[in-house]
């Protein structure tokens, strides 16, 4: 694909445009994250509207499993640290270490998804499904959508760990930028969880 | 050397420094071309199907969207046949099949399906993709002097999310129980308990939202990052500004609808009850769901998108009209800066007016007052833009070309559409007019003789750029006058109907209601005949369009690269710019604002392109002196 688009050279793909101080991908990911804020913002607003309109609302900690979710919170925060380390090492030209940290981040995502699946299975075992109540409906919808975002990030990390890493040898700066961009996305996904965890489990 | 020397290349005078750059650039282009030919020829599928070139993607969007436009129009013709002559058999109705129109008589549930699909197709599959996907894609990079969009592959992905989304929606016509039938607004609880077609609608919608999300990110980054040298924000053509603000609306307003679509999908597939209140009884049996949901939640999320969506429909249209008017009045736009500020303000305000669609839901007077106020405020920037366009006509020597005819018709038509919106923005009058044909008349005036006419203006105006041929002027005029008369014949009587209290979405157009029968029987057949007339007057356009497109494909090019003598950068590129080679033979350098018509600086024409170098009077050189021989 790259060689196909390569005939037309798009400026500022790698180096920042002087007057805006941004390269294209970085502006792009910030705009994308702005739209993601609107997506999750709409869901949080829905949660507030349904909850305030409901005569009774269960305590999250009585219905859900706080311990695995707490572990998951730490796993996700850890992964946000490792993704920065990956980028920092690549910036320093340390490809080997950078790659290891990409791998660790991917592993954190995997652990998160595993624990999430375990939590879901516990809920199902208790006979709690999305159709059970509005609380479980919003719980499964929001954590499910968040899970899809984690999965999306993991696919991107897996790509950069595998076939995507070839770019390091041809275009070092661009590869580093790509890790920065997926890192920004990963922080956002992390941040969504930071909001989801107290709202659903602790309130 | 201190003195700047000028060199002539082609018909341009350039400073030596610029000329050197230009030559380097030309060399680079030539080398790239060489390389491409040397490398294996690009496969056909990459070139024409999964193309990453913004121009080809723009054409793909344009042709697809125009097809959907015609399709959505045909659905409306079937509806109008039923409304004009309720309960009569029409042989054309048999295309819907025996289960929808037995013996050629349309069934009520099929009427609802046609209504829902007409609205959805026209808004999400026809107008937005045409205005943003086609015009935006083709023109924005050209007008800002960029080689392509910032993310060519995302651009391709955007089209390839749009097409499947549309096809998923259309495929629901093949379902036994039919398509979505809950209107383009898909209000629950009806849509929650509707047939499978609604699920197709939701899945299609998620594809379309993804498509416009990818597109809007791409547009904003392109406009911010890839402007040519010298193209600062206040030198952007108004069309680019309109697309810029539109992209922000798409970026930020669509995600809440995506959230809403996910929630409704959960309601339908996982049996949650986000939008289902407790104690709902359907056909005599209580629904076995958890309940406790809120149908109004959908309306809030939907209109949070759908009000900015109105501006997504209208802003690119205003952009096109502005370009055509400036070009054909041969003078700068009046109040360019105030138009730009008004557009930005409009963009912000459009996020805080949505609940004026919901005055009848019992929100309470305080919230209603808030939204009435914001609605009155948002009318101000629209009036500024429209007034500026009107004032731009003042004192111009107007060329009445076909695109100009459509652009001129846009102004009063959008004016009618906008002004009839004011009574709907005030709760006291809206309570009477809500859900009547008055509302239908209002928004169709904005979108049909408004936006669609602007789209036609754009097609007639930029067709020579894309193909190298002008569309036939005589048939263009036939198309214009026929459409203009017929379209008013359809939509103006709707105001009369609405004021008479005829509700929208009635299967028989109101004939079963005593208060409505007289007005309905006098207006509906006339409106339906106008609709058929409108269909007939599209035939010259369709023939004109395809005949010229085919002639152009055979290489019969009749006009040069700038047949309208326009100033913006799109006209600095060659006509039908080649795919995959960037857009400009020489990367343009922008030296002035977008509308330098009748500029005193221009010496040999009445216009000065944005990138033109003004010819300085030749420096007076001292006569060569004979060498002094010692």
């Amino acid at each position: 694909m790259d060689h196909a688009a390569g005939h037309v050279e798009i400026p500022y793909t790698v180096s920042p445009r002087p007057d805006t101080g941004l390269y294209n991908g970085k502006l792009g990911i910030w705009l994308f994250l702005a739209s993601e804020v609107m997506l999750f913002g709409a869901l949080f607003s829905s949660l507030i509207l349904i909850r305030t309109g409901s005569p009774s609302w269960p305590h999250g900690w009585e219905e859900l499993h706080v311990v695995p979710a707490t572990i998951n919170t730490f796993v996700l925060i850890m992964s946000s640290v490792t993704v920065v380390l990956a980028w920092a090492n690549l910036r320093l030209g340390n490809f080997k270490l950078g790659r290891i940290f990409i791998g660790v981040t991917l592993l954190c995502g995997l652990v998160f998804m595993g624990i999430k699946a375990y939590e879901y299975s516990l809920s199902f075992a208790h006979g709690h499904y999305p159709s059970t109540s509005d609380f479980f409906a919003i719980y499964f919808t929001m954590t499910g959508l968040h899970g899809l975002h984690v999965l999306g990030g993991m696919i991107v990390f897996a790509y950069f760990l595998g076939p995507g890493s070839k770019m390091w040898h041809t275009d070092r700066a661009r590869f580093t930028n790509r890790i920065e961009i997926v890192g920004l996305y990963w922080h956002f996904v992390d941040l969504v969880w930071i909001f989801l965890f107290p709202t659903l489990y602790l309130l | 050397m201190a003195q700047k020397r000028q060199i002539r290349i082609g018909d341009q005078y350039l400073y030596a420094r610029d000329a050197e750059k230009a030559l380097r650039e030309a060399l680079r282009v030539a080398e790239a071309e060489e390389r491409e030919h040397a490398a294996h020829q690009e496969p056909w599928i990459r070139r024409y199907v999964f193309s990453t070139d913004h121009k080809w993607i723009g054409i793909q969007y344009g042709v697809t969207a125009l097809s959907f436009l015609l399709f959505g129009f045909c659905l409306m013709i079937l509806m109008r046949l039923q409304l004009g002559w309720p309960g009569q058999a029409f042989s054309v109705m048999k295309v819907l099949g025996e289960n929808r129109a037995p013996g050629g008589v349309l069934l009520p549930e099929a009427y609802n399906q046609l209504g829902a699909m007409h609205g959805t197709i026209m808004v999400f599959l026809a107008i937005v993709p045409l205005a943003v996907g086609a015009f935006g894609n083709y023109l924005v990079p050209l007008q800002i002097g960029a080689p392509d969009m910032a993310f060519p592959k995302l651009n391709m992905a955007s089209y390839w999310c749009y097409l499947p989304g549309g096809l998923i929606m259309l495929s629901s016509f093949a379902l036994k129980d039919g398509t979505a039938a809950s209107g383009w607004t898909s209000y629950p609880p009806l849509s929650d308990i509707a047939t499978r077609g609604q699920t197709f609608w939701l899945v299609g919608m998620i594809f379309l939202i993804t498509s416009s999300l990818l597109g809007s990110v791409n547009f904003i980054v392109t406009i911010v990052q890839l402007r040519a040298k010298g193209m600062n924000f206040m030198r952007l053509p108004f069309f680019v500004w309109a697309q810029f603000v539109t992209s922000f609306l798409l970026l930020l307003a669509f995600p809440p609808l995506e959230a809403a679509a996910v929630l409704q999908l959960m309601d339908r597939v996982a049996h949650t009850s986000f939008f289902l209140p407790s104690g709902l009884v359907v056909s005599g049996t209580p629904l076995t769901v958890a309940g406790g949901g809120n149908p109004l939640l959908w309306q809030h999320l939907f209109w949070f998108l759908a009000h900015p969506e109105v501006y997504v429909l209208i802003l690119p249209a205003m952009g096109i009209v502005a370009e055509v008017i400036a070009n054909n009045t041969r003078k700068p736009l009046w109040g360019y800066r105030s138009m730009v500020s008004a557009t930005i303000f409009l963009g912000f305000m459009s996020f805080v007016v949505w609940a004026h669609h919901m005055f009848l839901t019992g929100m309470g007077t305080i919230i209603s007052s808030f939204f009435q106020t914001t609605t009155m405020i948002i009318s101000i920037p629209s009036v500024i833009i429209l007034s500026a366009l009107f004032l731009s006509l003042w004192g111009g020597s107007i060329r009445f070309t076909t695109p100009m005819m459509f652009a001129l018709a846009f102004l009063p038509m959008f004016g009618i559409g906008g002004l009839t919106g004011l009574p709907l923005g005030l709760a006291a009058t809206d309570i009477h007019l809500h859900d009547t044909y008055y509302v239908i008349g209002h928004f169709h005036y904005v979108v049909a003789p408004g936006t669609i006419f602007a789209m036609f203006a754009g097609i007639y105006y930029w067709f020579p750029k894309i193909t190298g041929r002008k569309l036939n002027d005589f048939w263009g005029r036939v198309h214009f006058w026929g459409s203009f008369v017929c379209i008013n014949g359809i939509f103006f009587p709707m105001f009369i109907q609405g004021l008479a209290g005829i509700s929208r979405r009635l299967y028989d157009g109101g004939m079963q209601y005593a208060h409505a029968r007289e007005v309905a029987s006098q207006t509906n057949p006339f409106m339906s005949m106008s609709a058929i007339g409108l269909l007939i007057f599209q035939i010259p356009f369709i023939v004109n369009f395809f005949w010229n497109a085919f002639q152009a494909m055979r290489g019969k090019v009749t006009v040069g690269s700038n047949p309208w003598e326009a100033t913006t950068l799109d006209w600095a590129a060659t006509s039908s710019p080649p795919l995959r080679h960037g857009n400009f033979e020489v990367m343009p350098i922008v030296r002035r604002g977008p509308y330098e018509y009748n500029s005193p600086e221009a010496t040999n024409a009445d216009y000065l392109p944005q990138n033109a170098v003004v010819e300085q009077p030749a420096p007076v050189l001292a006569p060569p002196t004979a060498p002094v021989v010692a």
Side-chain angles (χ1 to χ4, degrees), chain A residues 143-160:
Chain A
T143 54
L145 205 64
H146 176 257
L148 282 179
H149 279 78
V150 174
L151 195 68
M154 284 166 62
I155 291 170
V156 176
F157 282 126
Y159 173 75
F160 286 136

Side-chain angles (χ1 to χ4, degrees), chain B residues 324-381:
Chain B
V324 173
I325 283 184
N327 177 260
N328 285 293
T329 52
R330 312 305 295 163
K331 61 198 271 291
L333 280 181
W334 190 90
Y336 168 81
R337 275 173 181 270
S338 46
M339 283 173 78
V340 169
S341 325
T343 308
I344 296 170
F345 182 63
L346 193 86
F348 279 109
M349 284 306 288
S350 71
F351 285 102
V352 285
V353 294
W354 79 90
H356 66 211
H357 295 269
M358 297 167 62
F359 287 142
L360 243 65
T361 58
M363 294 181 298
T365 47
I366 293 174
I367 296 181
S368 288
S369 314
F370 173 79
F371 282 104
Q372 287 183 66
T373 312
T374 53
T375 305
M376 291 304 116
I377 292 172
I378 203 176
S379 63
I380 297 169

Side-chain angles (χ1 to χ4, degrees), chain B residues 93-118:
Chain B
M93 215 71 96
K94 286 178 185 155
V95 296
L96 292 171
E98 270 303 294
N99 57 341
R100 289 196 189 89
V105 181
L106 191 69
L107 290 179
E109 50 270 36
Y111 178 83
N112 283 346
Q113 292 176 19
L114 292 182
M117 292 312 277
H118 167 75

Side-chain angles (χ1 to χ4, degrees), chain A residues 80-180:
Chain A
S80 261
V81 175
T82 55
V83 77
V84 172
L85 287 173
W87 175 66
N89 275 296
L90 292 175
R91 275 296 287 260
L92 296 171
N94 198 340
F95 180 54
K96 219 174 208 176
L97 207 57
R99 236 183 134 179
I100 289 172
F101 278 117
I102 295 175
V104 175
T105 312
L106 177 62
L107 200 70
C108 286
L110 206 65
V111 171
F112 177 88
M113 291 301 272
I115 294 179
K116 200 76 226 158
Y118 167 71
E119 267 191 76
Y120 271 24
S121 71
L122 283 180
S123 288
F124 293 149
H126 284 90
H128 292 150
Y129 295 98
S131 56
T132 308
S133 69
D134 278 344
F135 172 76
F136 279 103
I138 199 90
Y139 164 75
F140 278 110
T141 307
M142 292 186 81
T143 54
L145 205 64
H146 176 257
L148 282 179
H149 279 78
V150 174
L151 195 68
M154 284 166 62
I155 291 170
V156 176
F157 282 126
Y159 173 75
F160 286 136
L161 201 59
S165 66
K166 272 186 232 148
M167 185 183 260
W168 174 263
H169 306 290
T170 53
D171 196 345
R172 202 170 269 209
R174 196 168 178 197
F175 182 75
T176 312
N177 283 351
R178 286 184 161 189
I179 298 300
E180 185 186 11

Side-chain angles (χ1 to χ4, degrees), chain A residues 6-7 9, chain B residues 28-40:
Chain A
H7 297 309
E9 271 174 44
Chain B
R28 197 187 61 79
V29 170
E31 273 173 1
E33 227 165 294
E34 196 91 2
R35 248 180 289 144
E36 196 203 20
H37 282 292
H40 56 284

Side-chain angles (χ1 to χ4, degrees), chain B residues 321 403-415 449-450 453-454 480 484:
Chain B
V321 168
M404 188 60 171
M405 305 290 269
F406 277 102
L408 286 176
F410 168 90
L411 300 177
M413 293 295 104
F414 176 73
F453 268 30
F480 168 73
F484 184 71

